[in-house]
Amino acid sequence: MASKSKILFIGGTGYIGKFIVEASVKTGHPTFVLVRESTLSAPSKSQLLDHFKKLGVNLVIGDVLNHGSLVKAIKQVDVVISTVGQTLLADQVKIIAAVKEAGNVKRFFPSEFGNDVDRVNAVEPAKSAFVTKAKIRRAVEAEGIPYTYVASNFFAGYFLPNLSQPGATAPPRDKVVILGDGNPKAVYNKEDDIGTYTIKAVDDPRTLNKILYIKPPGNIYSFNDLVSLWERKIGKTLERVYVPEEQVLKNIQEVAPPVNVILSIQHSAYVKGDQTNFQIEPSFGVEASQLYPDVKYTTVDEYLSQFV
């Protein structure tokens, strides 16, 4: 058994980053997380950083915007996983430059972890974020850096606790708002499972220069079927309110950030069906639950049970 790759995370204290960091260290990868000086002393991050240290994560001081610190950090590892948030997506060109200069990286995972940005029909403001991610893909390919792009679709923790109902803190018990006709299928994955699948791909030759789609069969639901599943769980029929696409587009233009961003992402998945309206071809992609059938992922059905 070859020794496991050393992994550097950039954005490892963020929403999805922390789950992937944990999966990395728990499966025996020497795990490094780039942190800014300011993050070390940030009260909001102290609990997470303590948790990382207890797990055996190595914290490396550095900054995406400081080329020297980035190159130095990257030279210590084999694989770089970026999970930076929205505001730093475009700045990943700096990570690409540092990876190129360091010259030792076997694989780079840019910050993706959503829809496949090369196969979307999104409107603004989601469109701009997807375009930025696609530009980063092209930059990685242009530099000849070995990569894996993880298209993990929806985070269960974002969209299932309130069944995507705006402003709600629990799933609906009376009426439910459905964008479009509720028939296109979307994919909901528990964050821990996204971490597990991502780390399994790190040293797998089958995922090299490919998109890793996380689409386990138990997590693919049309919105109508999702509501029906919830109704069965609570033993009650909900009033379904359908919002036609025209109205959805109008709403996106009228609401303020970040609601317009969320709504435009939902439009892409729920109305356009962007997570499931194409076939995964071996030339560009592989599917995680097929590659790793041993992973016991949490199904949408199991996930929703906690809210009954």
Side-chain angles (χ1 to χ4, degrees), residues 100-120:
K100 194 75 180 155
E101 184 174 322
N104 59 306
V105 171
K106 295 193 310 196
R107 192 96 57 107
F108 175 49
F109 290 64
S111 189
E112 289 263 346
F113 307 100
N115 289 6
D116 174 4
V117 295
D118 283 331
R119 292 166 183 83
V120 281

Side-chain angles (χ1 to χ4, degrees), residues 74-96:
I74 290 168
K75 282 191 164 164
Q76 301 177 53
V77 299
D78 310 300
V79 171
V80 177
I81 298 180
S82 169
T83 53
V84 298
Q86 207 59 41
T87 53
L88 283 174
L89 285 176
D91 284 319
Q92 290 181 107
V93 292
K94 297 179 169 66
I95 302 174
I96 293 168

Side-chain angles (χ1 to χ4, degrees), residues 230-248:
W230 177 242
E231 287 174 333
R232 288 197 295 278
K233 285 189 182 296
I234 60 172
K236 191 179 172 196
T237 303
L238 303 179
E239 179 200 342
R240 301 186 184 204
V241 180
Y242 290 91
V243 183
E245 179 175 18
E246 208 175 309
Q247 186 60 47
V248 176

Side-chain angles (χ1 to χ4, degrees), residues 4 27-28 40 43 79 89 91 98 111 165-166 214 217 219 235 239 249 286 298:
K4 296 197 169 189
T27 47
L40 281 180
V79 171
L89 285 176
D91 284 319
S111 189
Q165 299 303 291
I214 306 182
N219 291 351
E239 179 200 342
L249 293 171
V286 286
T298 300

